[in-house]
Amino acid sequence: MPGRTLPGPDQRGLFIDGGWREAEEGATFTVRDPADGSVLASVADGSVRDAVDALDAAVAAQAGWAASAPRDRGEILRRAFELIRARTDELAELMSLEMGKTVTEARGEVAYGNEFLRWFSEEAVRVHGRWMHAPDGASRLLTVRKPVGPCLLITPWNFPMAMGTRKIGPAIAAGCTMVVKPAELTPLTMLALADIFDEAGLPPGVLNVVPTSRAAAMSEALMADPRLRKVSFTGSTPVGRQLVRQSADQLQRLSMELGGNAPFLVFADADVDAAVDGAMLAKMRNMGEACTAANRFLVHTDVAREFAEKLADRMGRLVVGRGQDPGVDVGPLIDERAVDAVHRLVTDAVRDGARLVVGGSAPEGPGCFYHPTVLLDVAQDSEINRQEIFGPVAPVSVFTTEEEAVRRANTTEYGLAAYVFTRDLARTVRLAELLEYGMVGVNTGLISNPAAPFGGLKASGFGREGGFEGIEEYLETTYVALPAT
């Protein structure tokens, strides 16, 4: 294990008010390598008191930060962007170690996540209101945009950098201060980011990072505090629902990026080879541990066999192993619970009548690995079609009509991402309107883009991250009435 990639001892603590410190009573928790279970680091385990200290720092810094020049905020983001770009290899190695993804894929996340900082460095100077005449001409109407105030940003374990930068970037650009709670399983990348923002010149108190093993207690305490004005959360729908309930007393602004159950529709007129290429991207990015991952493959009966055979061939040739090893395509899942959950869904689907084409098991030996798997003829009501798989498993079912495909695609409480492969332009327009999803990829398996609004419908949450819309989540509007003169 190349220890040089890990944050130094001082950078494994809490980052509060511009400095590193121990947690209350020196508490720590361990971060493990999912490839073999070995301990990577001991990290400060923040308490509720520590979190309140972080909020105190954010509140104290809010007024001065809100009054800072937008250009200055943008320049800090740009400097952080340049520092991250220069340290891509180091950050990718660190991310691979704590999360499991291959170093190649981790480099891709560094580049993708870093683009949010560049994008919002440019958006910081474009926040504006408007001036207009009242319809009766008797007054003038002025609107002013203001930062919403101190924020709590809760990030997931599966994209430890990108899910942080796409929240931190717009918050900084808008003039908000923040407390960041990274995932307990993968806090090291966020701690490295805190160090980079400090080096980029971010003033003390603007960004505070509090890792913890007591996430529920921390979020409950902070959300009960009237000084906290916004919460942005990426994670599961059940936890999201709980946070929404907790926000009610203080009426905090919310952004919720929650679970998904993405359909991947392949029509009879599709380019099957292109569909397989898209399926590999949509399914195997991050070992399938992504809320946008293709979860249900609905394929027209005329091309189902060809699609399944080609997909199984591609999946079967993927190399499983430690993410830092050369030639590896698929790293470990995040922990043993994830492996058990994926395998249970596969075995239940087979019991319900699905045919196992390739994979279907965990390799022997240490580590949280699972073989890439393709299932054919999966029953519509099988559990694997109703919940997120979060693993390298592709369940394939067939359909015969467009109406059936749309109905089955929409038969879920989730509405984050959907994928469509067809050569029919008219069908593309129809499906974009009929599919109940916040994002639709047409003839592509990769939809995430910092310049586009990322977010879902229904139980997949609300609010948008990225694009022109992303900074709006961190701004309030004040209307000023002025008499005509």
Side-chain angles (χ1 to χ4, degrees):
M1 181 184 68
R4 64 178 177 79
T5 64
L6 298 177
D10 292 342
Q11 286 75 43
R12 300 182 202 175
L14 313 178
F15 186 73
I16 296 177
D17 203 18
W20 297 96
R21 55 179 264 189
E22 291 186 346
E24 185 179 28
E25 299 181 354
T28 63
F29 63 89
T30 57
V31 179
R32 296 184 180 274
D33 182 347
D36 59 16
S38 63
V39 175
L40 291 173
S42 292
V43 173
D45 190 358
S47 67
V48 169
R49 178 67 258 171
D50 292 321
V52 173
D53 287 349
L55 181 59
D56 289 344
V59 170
Q62 179 59 55
W65 184 238
S68 65
R71 178 68 71 193
D72 291 344
R73 299 198 295 266
E75 289 301 319
I76 289 172
L77 286 170
R78 183 67 191 210
R79 286 196 294 273
F81 168 83
E82 297 295 349
L83 288 168
I84 288 170
R85 185 159 63 177
R87 298 173 191 173
T88 293
D89 289 345
E90 180 182 349
L91 289 165
E93 188 82 13
L94 174 62
M95 194 188 311
S96 177
L97 283 167
E98 69 170 342
M99 189 269 156
K101 66 183 71 184
T102 67
V103 172
T104 298
E105 188 162 3
R107 287 193 190 100
E109 181 179 339
V110 173
Y112 166 63
N114 206 18
E115 282 298 321
F116 285 101
L117 301 188
R118 177 153 63 175
W119 175 265
F120 287 111
S121 75
E122 297 162 347
E123 288 299 290
V125 298
R126 298 191 177 100
V127 175
H128 57 82
R130 72 176 185 270
W131 169 276
M132 63 180 288
H133 290 245
D136 63 4
S139 63
R140 303 295 179 261
L141 314 180
L142 173 67
T143 60
V144 180
R145 309 306 307 279
K146 301 176 181 178
V148 68
C151 305
L152 172 61
L153 312 180
I154 305 174
T155 61
W157 53 261
N158 55 341
F159 291 96
M161 179 172 169
M163 300 303 98
T165 55
R166 77 181 188 188
K167 298 178 189 298
I168 294 169
I172 288 175
C176 295
T177 61
M178 68 213 78
V179 177
V180 178
K181 192 219 71 71
E184 179 185 356
L185 293 169
T186 57
L188 300 178
T189 303
M190 181 57 70
L191 294 175
L193 280 177
D195 202 38
I196 286 171
F197 276 109
D198 187 42
E199 185 176 345
L202 194 65
V206 175
L207 170 66
N208 306 276
V209 180
V210 184
T212 185
S213 65
R214 295 162 280 186
M218 178 181 291
S219 62
E220 184 176 5
L222 292 183
M223 293 178 72
D225 193 316
R227 299 175 301 168
L228 186 75
R229 296 314 313 143
K230 177 179 173 60
V231 178
S232 177
F233 170 74
T234 298
S236 72
T237 295
V239 174
R241 287 186 168 119
Q242 179 61 29
L243 293 175
V244 171
R245 286 190 286 268
Q246 287 178 190
S247 73
D249 285 346
Q250 302 302 334
L251 295 175
Q252 282 133 349
R253 286 273 298 275
L254 297 175
S255 300
M256 294 279 131
E257 197 269 281
L258 308 178
N261 187 7
F264 189 102
L265 278 58
V266 182
F267 287 87
D269 66 335
D271 179 332
V272 174
D273 290 333
V276 171
D277 288 342
M280 293 298 293
L281 281 172
K283 177 73 265 183
M284 293 308 297
R285 184 186 184 203
N286 221 47
M287 295 84 71
E289 294 175 312
C291 53
T292 56
N295 210 61
R296 298 169 290 149
F297 290 83
L298 305 175
V299 186
H300 193 276
T301 185
D302 290 352
V303 295
R305 180 175 295 278
E306 179 186 1
F307 175 85
E309 289 176 351
K310 289 182 175 180
L311 180 61
D313 177 65
R314 292 277 296 276
M315 294 276 276
R317 287 190 277 119
L318 295 175
V319 177
V320 177
R322 176 184 286 276
Q324 302 85 54
D325 290 347
V328 169
D329 301 304
V330 184
L333 300 184
I334 190 63
D335 58 20
E336 289 291 349
R337 290 183 301 173
V339 175
D340 292 342
V342 168
H343 189 59
R344 180 183 60 80
L345 289 173
V346 171
T347 55
D348 286 353
V350 171
R351 187 189 61 229
D352 292 341
R355 178 163 64 89
L356 184 63
V357 183
V358 68
S361 65
E364 294 183 2
C368 305
F369 299 97
Y370 201 82
H371 289 300
T373 299
V374 176
L375 298 164
L376 189 58
D377 301 327
V378 178
Q380 183 175 348
D381 60 352
S382 183
E383 185 70 14
I384 203 168
N385 278 332
R386 296 202 302 270
Q387 65 171 271
E388 281 188 293
I389 300 169
F390 247 60
V393 179
V396 180
S397 304
V398 300
F399 68 87
T400 56
T401 68
E402 180 181 310
E403 292 74 18
E404 178 192 359
V406 171
R407 175 180 55 79
R408 291 172 60 181
N410 288 338
T411 304
T412 175
E413 67 172 331
Y414 299 103
L416 185 60
Y419 303 89
V420 175
F421 277 76
T422 179
R423 289 187 174 100
D424 188 329
L425 179 59
R427 174 182 288 134
T428 297
V429 174
R430 285 196 303 274
L431 293 182
E433 295 176 350
L434 293 172
L435 290 171
E436 298 169 355
Y437 291 86
M439 300 176 288
V440 179
V442 179
N443 295 327
T444 180
L446 185 62
I447 57 176
S448 298
N449 191 304
F454 187 105
L457 312 177
K458 303 191 294 188
S460 290
F462 44 81
R464 293 296 182 266
E465 295 185 317
F468 300 117
E469 296 82 355
I471 201 168
E472 296 292 328
E473 299 289 324
Y474 295 86
L475 295 170
E476 298 277 23
T477 300
T478 294
Y479 150 59
V480 181
L482 300 172
T485 56

